[in-house]
């Protein structure tokens, strides 16, 4: 054991691979190689950062997670690589990897860990993205504590206040859905978020208390995870769930992975939720998309990205979606915490849907799996309720030929568009 100073106040004992750093103090280890320096904080920000560090260390301790290695990416993200023996549920064997081909003119969008495999830990371990809660640390989102910040967190949902949408929804019994998503890296203002989400759900008898949902997103989120640092917003894979309505958030109840527990990552996955997507499509330039899938297997709701199953939400979380869901969604969503004058945060590229391929974000080959497991097009689907075409738009589903048998474009510049308020 050695005595080191960490981001927590005061010296602590650092045990590599553990989160217990003495009898009274918990802290998480520094990455083995620091590739990005920590941000410079003032006294109040440092106080909140220390609080976040202690909160996360306590979570690891309470869950019993054992860290084998800690790496930092070139974007500055910290990933802990956990011993699968310490992560219940991670030993479940994932389904066979999905198979697919890309059409001409489209390249596969990867993750930062695909592009830079040296950032990975042991191949058989469990990757765990370490959230920063930067909007809280920097005071962008006022909150009295990290718990208060989490209680005020904004989540993806196909119908909600302070949100505008573009997309489709189909009421159909299903055991999952999938789609290729092309997301771009449009502008995202502080305390807002812009998502392109695939989700399945059931309302239950009383949606306020019985709604259940599982979703996976290409997310640019400065409301919960990242802050406006003057650079383009990072686009990340994020997963979320609900088991008792949109307002009931907490560990094993609902919320984003990283903000609440519940998602069961699998050992050997090359990355997990929170990882950055790259490269990004550019308007008038290269187009990249990646494949997202949700599927019910043996009562659990599994999530995959490209060829990789990342993990699942276990059957015991669900009373309604025990073997199938009732509705499937493919949609863009922008959240504005102060919507009196609507944010200039972009959906997708910031270009309206009618501009089409090479300029607007899209969902390509959106399908749901019926209860027999047969892929079905969501033809005739409806639209989310909160739509303002002066801010953001979506097209109908087009058949544009091989690889684009169904495609829906979404996007818009939000408050930068005349008439969007």
């Amino acid at each position: 054991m050695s005595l080191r100073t960490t981001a927590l106040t005061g010296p602590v004992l650092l045990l590599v691979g553990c989160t217990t750093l003495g009898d009274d103090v918990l802290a998480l280890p520094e990455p083995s190689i620091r590739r990005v320096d920590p941000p410079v904080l003032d006294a109040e920000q440092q106080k909140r950062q220390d609080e976040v560090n202690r909160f996360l260390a306590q979570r690891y301790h309470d869950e019993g997670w054992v860290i084998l290695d800690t790496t930092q990416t070139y974007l500055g993200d910290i990933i802990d690589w956990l011993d699968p023996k310490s992560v219940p549920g991670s030993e479940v064997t994932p389904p066979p990897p999905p198979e697919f081909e890309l059409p001409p003119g489209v390249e596969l969008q990867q993750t930062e860990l695909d592009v830079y495999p040296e950032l990975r830990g042991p191949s058989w371990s469990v990757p765990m993205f370490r959230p920063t809660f930067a909007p809280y640390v920097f005071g962008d989102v006022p909150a009295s504590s990290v718990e208060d910040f989490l209680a005020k967190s904004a989540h993806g949902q196909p119908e909600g206040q302070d949100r505008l949408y573009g997309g489709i929804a189909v009421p159909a019994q299903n055991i999952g859905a999938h789609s290729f998503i092309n997301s771009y890296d449009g502008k995202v203002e502080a305390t807002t978020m812009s998502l392109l989400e695939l989700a399945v759900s059931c309302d239950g008898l009383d949606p306020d208390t019985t709604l259940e949902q599982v979703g996976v997103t290409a997310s640019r989120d400065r409301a919960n995870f990242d802050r406006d640092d003057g650079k383009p917003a990072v686009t990340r894979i994020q997963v979320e769930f609900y088991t008792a309505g949109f307002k009931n958030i907490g560990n094993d109840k609902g919320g984003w992975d990283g903000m609440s527990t519940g998602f069961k990552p699998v050992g050997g996955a090359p990355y997990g939720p929170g990882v950055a997507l790259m490269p990004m499509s550019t308007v008038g330039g290269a187009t990249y998309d990646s494949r997202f899938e949700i599927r019910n297997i043996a009562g659990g709701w599994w999530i995959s990205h490209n060829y990789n199953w990342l993990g699942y939400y276990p059957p015991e979380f669900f009373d309604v979606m025990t073997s199938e869901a009732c509705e499937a969604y493919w949609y863009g969503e922008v959240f504005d915490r102060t919507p009196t004058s609507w944010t200039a945060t972009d959906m997708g590229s910031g270009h309206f849907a009618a501009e089409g391929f090479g300029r607007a974000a899209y969902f390509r080959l959106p399908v749901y799996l019926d209860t027999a497991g047969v892929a079905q097009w969501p033809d005739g689907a409806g639209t989310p309720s909160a739509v303002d075409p002066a801010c953001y738009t979506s097209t109908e589903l087009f058949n544009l030929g091989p690889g684009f048998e169904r495609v829906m474009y979404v996007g818009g510049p939000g408050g930068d568009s005349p008439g969007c308020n």
Side-chain angles (χ1 to χ4, degrees):
M1 293 186 296
S2 61
L3 194 64
R4 301 187 187 180
T5 301
T6 72
L8 289 178
T9 302
V12 295
L13 290 175
L14 175 60
L15 304 179
V16 176
C18 291
T19 59
T20 303
L21 308 182
D23 294 334
D24 300 317
V25 179
L26 296 174
L28 296 178
E30 286 286 304
S32 51
I33 299 175
R34 263 283 179 191
R35 294 180 169 89
V36 178
D37 291 332
V40 177
L41 306 177
D42 63 28
E44 286 300 313
Q45 293 166 347
Q46 185 63 56
K47 181 180 178 181
R48 290 190 290 268
Q49 181 67 70
D50 293 344
E51 181 194 2
V52 168
N53 292 344
R54 287 191 295 270
F55 174 87
L56 293 174
Q58 187 67 54
R59 172 186 288 174
Y60 277 54
H61 179 266
D62 292 346
E63 295 291 330
W65 294 336
V66 175
I67 299 172
L68 301 173
D69 193 12
T70 298
T71 60
Q72 185 182 42
T73 74
Y74 294 107
L75 290 176
D77 296 334
I78 293 179
I79 301 173
D80 296 306
W81 301 85
L82 309 181
D83 185 341
K85 295 178 182 178
S86 71
V87 185
S90 67
E91 74 285 353
V92 176
T93 302
E99 297 181 2
F100 56 87
E101 296 181 358
L102 295 174
V106 176
E107 300 180 59
L108 184 66
Q109 184 182 52
Q110 302 183 77
T111 72
E112 188 178 10
L113 299 190
D114 293 314
V115 177
Y116 304 107
E118 70 272 17
L119 302 176
R120 291 177 177 157
S123 61
W124 45 273
S125 60
V126 176
M128 185 65 63
F129 174 82
R130 193 188 295 182
T132 64
F133 304 149
Y136 170 64
V137 170
F138 284 85
D140 297 335
V141 176
S144 60
S145 65
V146 65
E147 289 84 2
D148 185 42
F149 170 71
L150 295 177
K152 295 177 178 178
S153 57
H155 299 269
Q157 50 186 270
E159 295 183 10
Q161 292 183 333
D162 304 335
R163 292 162 169 83
L164 287 176
Y165 299 94
I168 55 174
V170 58
Q173 301 298 113
N174 68 85
I175 60 168
H178 54 79
S179 180
F180 292 85
I181 295 178
N182 167 29
S183 52
Y184 289 88
D185 61 352
K187 176 174 62 178
V188 179
E189 294 188 318
T191 74
T192 72
M193 67 180 182
S194 181
L195 316 175
L196 297 180
E197 182 154 6
L198 167 68
V200 297
S201 73
C202 280
D203 281 348
L205 295 176
D206 176 13
D208 287 340
T209 59
T210 61
L211 177 139
E212 297 177 351
Q213 179 174 305
V214 171
V216 57
T217 76
S219 166
R220 302 196 310 279
D221 184 344
R222 284 177 165 161
N224 302 295
F225 291 103
D226 297 316
R227 66 180 297 266
D228 187 353
D229 57 1
K231 302 176 183 178
V234 177
T235 303
R236 304 183 184 278
I237 300 170
Q238 299 286 15
V239 301
E240 63 176 344
F241 77 122
Y242 301 95
T243 62
F246 290 134
K247 295 181 180 180
N248 291 304
I249 303 301
N251 289 340
D252 297 342
K253 291 195 305 183
W256 293 115
D257 184 56
M259 303 194 83
S260 57
T261 59
F263 184 71
K264 304 297 183 183
V266 294
Y271 48 84
V275 71
L277 291 169
M278 61 176 56
M280 302 302 298
S281 299
T282 56
V283 174
T287 296
Y288 300 90
D289 67 22
S290 53
R291 184 182 185 274
F292 295 81
E293 180 169 1
I294 303 169
R295 192 192 306 176
N296 187 285
I297 300 173
W301 289 95
W302 284 78
I303 294 177
S304 76
H305 173 255
N306 287 347
Y307 300 99
N308 304 301
W309 290 99
L310 307 183
Y312 62 99
Y313 289 103
E316 58 265 27
F317 287 172
F318 302 97
D319 296 319
V320 182
M321 288 178 26
T322 54
S323 60
E324 59 191 48
C326 310
E327 196 160 7
Y329 299 86
W330 303 259
Y331 64 97
E333 172 185 350
V334 173
F335 167 79
D336 184 357
R337 198 176 293 273
T338 57
T340 304
S341 178
W342 191 257
T343 177
T345 288
D346 294 334
M347 180 184 293
S349 66
H351 289 256
F352 285 115
E355 298 188 41
F357 186 82
R359 299 185 66 81
Y362 64 65
F363 290 82
R364 182 173 65 84
L365 304 183
V367 303
Y368 67 91
L369 303 177
D370 66 21
T371 55
V374 178
Q376 303 287 346
W377 301 121
D379 294 337
T383 60
S385 56
V387 175
D388 186 341
C391 305
Y392 312 107
T393 59
S394 59
T395 67
E396 61 185 277
L397 284 173
F398 295 124
N399 183 348
L400 300 180
F404 285 83
E405 286 86 354
R406 295 293 188 281
V407 62
M408 173 186 64
Y409 295 98
V410 299
D416 283 340
S417 173
C420 174
N421 53 23

